[in-house]
């Protein structure tokens, strides 16, 4: 298969984009959906964390499996599971069925590690930052159109008049479209000779953590994503209580944040990486994320909130592709799925810990407290980003 073939890269972009639009549609309506079937407001953040708990289990599983059997079968199976889980959400009428739909969706979303591995399979060191930025832009665009579309489809100005089931049905249809596109347009990216052989020992996340450089990168990912998830899980409730916004306006707020992220990742991340290097961009991204989070609690108007979210989104757009590129560079082709699975597992663990921590802090100190704590935690990740990314590059060169 031609390496970094533009058509294949763009097709993968579309697959991830469609899947993420469906996911993004759920975000602004989920708190209202959960409360409508009897989940208390304080427990909503916990239910959001269930999705990441499933992703935590799925990411290393799918990444490692794709190293053995190839990327395409894993992508196809997980897209089927995601479609089913979203339809289950449409018919959820108890806390148990709601929780089941979120866990299954999270397990399926662990396929992001496989999508990242697919991207690294078809790119070179020179073209990889731009391709990873494009993949990140698919996430960002999913968060532009997804929440906005979800808010529009829900309709109404409050939770009592919104049609939340319609949103879940549409999200399932988009996941099904991503499945069809994968089946028809995405060839296998990992040839048999580059796969991990059946007799080779299983590479678990614990194996990668034994490598000092990867341990630092994965720890940095966990710390920063914990802080980000803590903020994201509290944003909907904060905006509703402090600013009085409903599902539709909240969708536009998320869309704005996604637009800023896309502008950075699709437009300039490749050139910035070539000029400044991934390590510097990762460090800068962490600082901007922390500043953006710290600016949210004082926000008393929507424009003030949008300014803080813009700073946050620029930082996130710099950090995510930079740290994932550094992790990918620290892996050999036959283990890249497993390494990126460990990276996604670290991200997912952060998305589990962050909402749980945010729920506790919000109940004790109010809805503004999670953002301040998140900024402080995020800055703690600077220690690992600045210290270990140079070592990752040197270890990779020594092992190749």
């Amino acid at each position: 298969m031609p390496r970094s073939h533009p058509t294949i890269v763009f097709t993968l972009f579309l697959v991830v984009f469609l899947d993420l639009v469906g996911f993004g549609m759920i975000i602004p309506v989920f708190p209202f959906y959960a409360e409508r079937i009897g989940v208390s407001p304080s427990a909503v953040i916990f239910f959001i964390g269930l999705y990441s708990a499933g992703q935590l289990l799925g990411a290393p599983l799918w990444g490692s499996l794709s190293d053995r059997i190839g990327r395409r079968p894993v992508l196809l199976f997980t897209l089927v599971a995601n479609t089913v889980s979203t339809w289950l959400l449409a018919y959820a009428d108890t806390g148990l069925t709601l929780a089941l739909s979120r866990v299954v969706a999270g397990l399926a979303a662990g396929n992001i590690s496989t999508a990242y591995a697919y991207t690294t399979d078809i790119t070179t060191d020179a073209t990889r930052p731009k391709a990873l930025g494009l993949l990140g832009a698919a996430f960002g665009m999913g968060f532009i159109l997804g929440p906005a579309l979800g808010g529009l489809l829900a309709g109404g100005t409050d939770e009592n008049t919104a049609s939340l089931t319609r949103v879940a049905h549409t999200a399932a249809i988009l996941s099904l479209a991503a499945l069809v596109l994968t089946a028809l347009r995405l060839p296998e990216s990992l040839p048999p000779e580059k796969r991990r052989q059946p007799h080779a020992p299983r590479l678990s996340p614990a194996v990668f953590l034994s490598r000092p450089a990867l341990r630092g990168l994965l720890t940095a990912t966990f710390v920063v994503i914990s802080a980000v998830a803590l903020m994201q899980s509290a944003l909907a409730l904060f905006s509703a209580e402090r600013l009085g916004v409903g599902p539709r306006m909240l969708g536009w707020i998320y869309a704005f944040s996604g637009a800023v992220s896309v502008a950075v990742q699709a437009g300039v991340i490749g050139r910035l990486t070539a000029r400044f290097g991934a390590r510097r961009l990762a460090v800068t991204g962490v600082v901007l994320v922390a500043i953006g989070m710290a600016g949210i609690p004082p926000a008393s108007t929507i424009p003030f909130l949008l300014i803080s979210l813009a700073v946050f989104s620029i930082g996130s757009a710099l950090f995510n592709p930079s740290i994932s590129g550094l992790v990918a560079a620290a892996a050999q082709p036959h283990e890249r799925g497993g390494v990126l699975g460990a990276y996604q597992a670290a991200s997912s663990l952060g998305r589990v810990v962050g909402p749980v921590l945010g729920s506790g802090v919000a109940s004790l100190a109010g809805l503004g407290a999670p953002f301040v704590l998140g900024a402080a935690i995020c800055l703690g990740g600077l220690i690992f980003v600045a210290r270990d990314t140079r070592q990752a590059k040197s270890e990779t060169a020594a092992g190749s």
Side-chain angles (χ1 to χ4, degrees):
M1 182 186 70
R3 293 181 63 81
S4 194
H5 192 288
T7 301
I8 296 173
V9 172
F10 182 66
T11 301
L12 184 63
F13 165 85
L14 286 178
V15 168
V16 175
F17 168 68
L18 287 171
D19 206 28
L20 266 293
V21 168
F23 169 72
M25 288 171 60
I26 301 299
I27 293 176
V29 304
F30 183 81
F32 306 99
Y33 201 115
E35 290 183 31
R36 180 177 290 183
I37 63 174
V39 177
S40 66
S42 61
V44 169
I45 295 177
F46 169 75
F47 275 78
I48 293 174
L50 288 177
Y51 176 91
S52 295
Q55 197 174 35
L56 171 64
L57 297 174
L61 170 66
W62 305 128
S64 180
L65 183 62
S66 74
D67 284 336
R68 286 189 182 273
I69 69 173
R71 318 298 187 200
R72 190 171 184 272
V74 171
L75 288 173
L76 289 171
F77 178 80
T78 51
L79 285 169
V80 170
N82 191 50
T83 302
V84 172
S85 70
T86 311
W87 259 312
L88 178 61
L89 175 64
Y91 296 102
D93 55 1
T94 66
L96 179 60
T97 53
L98 186 71
L100 179 61
S101 73
R102 292 296 81 200
V103 171
V104 174
L107 283 169
N111 66 0
I112 295 301
S113 61
T114 306
Y116 272 100
Y118 192 111
T119 303
T120 61
D121 290 340
I122 63 173
T123 54
T124 64
D125 290 342
T127 60
R128 189 165 297 133
K130 182 177 180 179
L132 289 174
L134 187 63
L135 194 63
F139 281 80
M141 290 183 69
F143 282 104
I144 291 175
L145 294 181
L149 184 58
L152 288 172
L153 286 173
T157 57
D158 58 55
E159 60 179 299
N160 295 318
T161 59
S163 177
L164 307 180
T165 302
R166 182 167 58 218
V167 176
H169 277 301
T170 305
I173 292 171
L174 290 175
S175 293
L176 183 61
L179 169 65
V180 172
L181 188 61
T182 300
L184 297 179
R185 303 289 296 178
L186 278 186
E188 178 56 57
S189 65
L190 188 66
E193 64 271 15
K194 291 188 176 182
R195 297 177 190 174
R196 186 158 51 89
Q197 299 304 308
H199 61 272
R202 182 176 180 272
L203 298 176
S204 67
V207 173
F208 303 127
L209 287 172
S210 67
R211 304 178 190 177
L214 274 174
R215 182 168 61 244
L217 291 168
L218 296 176
T219 302
T221 299
F222 165 70
V223 171
V224 175
I225 298 301
S226 293
V228 170
L230 188 152
M231 186 281 287
Q232 291 174 332
S233 65
L235 181 60
L237 295 176
F238 174 87
S239 300
E241 180 178 290
R242 296 286 181 88
L243 303 178
V245 303
R248 180 172 296 177
M249 178 56 69
L250 187 58
W252 288 113
I253 289 173
Y254 278 106
F256 169 80
S257 178
V260 174
S261 179
V262 167
V264 174
Q265 293 190 87
V268 298
I269 191 66
R271 285 174 287 173
L272 290 176
T273 303
R275 180 171 181 178
F276 298 106
R279 184 183 67 87
R280 289 182 181 178
L281 292 186
V283 169
T284 302
V286 174
V287 173
L288 292 177
V289 165
I291 293 173
M293 282 193 285
I296 291 176
S300 57
T301 64
I302 291 178
F304 193 159
L305 176 64
L306 293 180
I307 291 172
S308 296
L309 284 177
V311 176
F312 165 83
S313 299
I314 292 171
S316 180
L318 293 177
F319 175 78
N320 289 327
S322 297
I323 200 74
S324 63
L326 291 166
V327 171
Q332 300 301 317
H334 68 277
E335 63 179 15
R336 197 164 280 153
V339 169
L340 288 167
Y343 162 73
Q344 288 298 324
S347 297
S348 299
L349 181 60
R351 292 189 181 98
V352 172
V353 172
V356 172
L357 183 60
S359 179
V361 171
S363 63
L364 293 174
L367 288 174
F371 304 103
V372 177
L373 178 61
I377 293 173
C378 191
L379 289 176
L382 279 175
I383 300 172
F384 302 99
V385 177
R387 183 184 65 188
D388 291 311
T389 50
R390 281 198 186 106
Q391 185 178 0
K393 186 174 181 179
S394 64
E395 284 188 5
T396 304
S400 57

